[in-house]
Amino acid sequence: MAKTTRRMTMTGAAALAAGLIRPAMAQDGAVKIGVIYPLSGNSATAGNYSKMALEVGADVVNNGNADLAKLIPLAKGGGLPGLKNAKIQLVFADNQGTPAAGQNQALRLITEEKVAALIGAYQSGVTLTASAIAERHGIPFVNGESVAANLTERGFKWFFRVTPVALDFARAYSDFLKVQKAAGRKTDNIALVHENTEYGNSVGSVIVDQFKKDGFAVGTKIAYSANSSDVQPQVLQLKEKNPDVLIFISYTSDAILYTKTMKELNWKPGIMIADNAGFNDPAFVKSLGSQVEGLINRSAFSAGKAGSVPDLFNKIYTKKTGGDELDDVSVRGLQAFMVLADALNRAGSTEPAKIQAALKATDLPASQMVAGYDGVKFDDKGQNVKAASVVTQMRGGKYVTIAPKERATAEVILPYKGW
């Protein structure tokens, strides 16, 4: 941490201890929630779609939706009943995709905007630093998307993660490959390619460990910088190794680069799996979905039956975005917002300790989920123990659910077609 940032943090902490920094309602009586997302940089599209998803959630709580009100109490509109019908005001901050910016924005939102709680921050490396500031200041931090294993292993008391985590994904991929192996497909030679920040390193390690337990060996492991401008050497290495299964852990710009380079060098594996992130970004799906036909992915979103919570939220979101549907990242952010709104309402206060207590007591049913979770209930580490994922496959420019069987809408088609 730079000296200037350290001084800022210490000054903020001292002010908090002196009672000078206290989360408060805005002048119009609204409850301020700070939202930290990458609104510029390599992951800006994911951040901006998530921003719109949270705006949908705030609009539903503040102004209501008659259809959703039958399923979710807070969708009746008029604000938060537990806080004398106070409206929610979202205060957005751009983390620029960097841990330093995320840290600084968290500090600004707490000390200057005096937000009651924070949501963010998409990239695990940014969430790592931003949530550390919230922890130091005793402000609840609700995370909807970051999956690095160590985020809930820090002994934090103010951090709550709603999303499923790396171990959940690793097990889902392993279970999928077990089925493919039983069907006679080649799965012995596995390659893992991951970007080298907190996200890629953490998830990659968990996948390797889980696969080993399940009898799958990762023979080739390639780490690279997410800011790479040329991945031809990595793709040539893959072409030489020619793995049966290739797993990517990548953000948007690098997912695009790898897809284009693989096509240029005319190489593809029999099974290709993407750990969501860049390969799920609407910008990627729109521009390159046709070049990754048959790609296996994971998701927390499925529109479900007509009239269901995810279906109704998706219709509102689609209208707001001019045609774009909720995707895995945006729906997880929206779900995190709804969890925080519920906790604020039950807390009946903007006092951090009361919001923290309400979050700890959260026990939401599957019937109220926007994301495809079994509900929301946090363990002692702040992890949602009811989070869940589905396995999807790219078909004709969009993802369809192929596993687990009870939630599948289509059968898997292999080998991977690509372009």
Side-chain angles (χ1 to χ4, degrees), residues 36 73 92 119 140 153 166 170 285 288 300 306 354 393 402 405 409:
I36 305 172
F92 291 99
I119 290 180
E153 300 300 318
V285 174
L288 292 172
K354 292 183 178 180
Q393 185 173 37
I402 58 171
K405 188 175 182 180
T409 59

Side-chain angles (χ1 to χ4, degrees), residues 71 149 295:
L71 304 169
L295 174 69

Side-chain angles (χ1 to χ4, degrees), residues 100-124:
Q103 175 181 272
N104 291 335
Q105 290 296 347
L107 184 62
R108 180 184 66 81
L109 289 169
I110 293 169
T111 61
E112 296 180 20
E113 296 289 349
K114 296 181 174 58
V115 298
L118 291 170
I119 290 180
Y122 182 55
Q123 296 105 322
S124 293

Side-chain angles (χ1 to χ4, degrees), residues 248-330:
F248 274 111
I249 307 173
S250 308
Y251 285 120
T252 306
S253 61
D254 35 319
I256 291 172
L257 190 57
Y258 268 103
T259 299
K260 290 181 176 179
T261 305
M262 287 172 67
K263 183 177 180 181
E264 290 170 1
L265 296 178
N266 193 31
W267 178 81
K268 54 192 172 187
I271 299 175
M272 191 160 103
I273 299 173
D275 186 61
N276 196 267
F279 286 92
N280 191 76
D281 190 318
F284 176 90
V285 174
K286 283 181 180 180
S287 61
L288 292 172
S290 62
Q291 295 187 31
V292 289
E293 180 73 13
L295 174 69
I296 304 300
N297 204 341
R298 63 168 168 86
S299 183
F301 180 69
S302 177
K305 297 179 180 178
S308 65
V309 172
D311 173 64
L312 293 170
F313 264 113
N314 191 43
K315 287 177 179 175
I316 302 171
Y317 179 83
T318 300
K319 184 177 180 179
K320 179 180 179 66
T321 61
D324 291 315
E325 297 186 346
L326 283 167
D327 67 321
D328 177 80
V329 174
S330 58

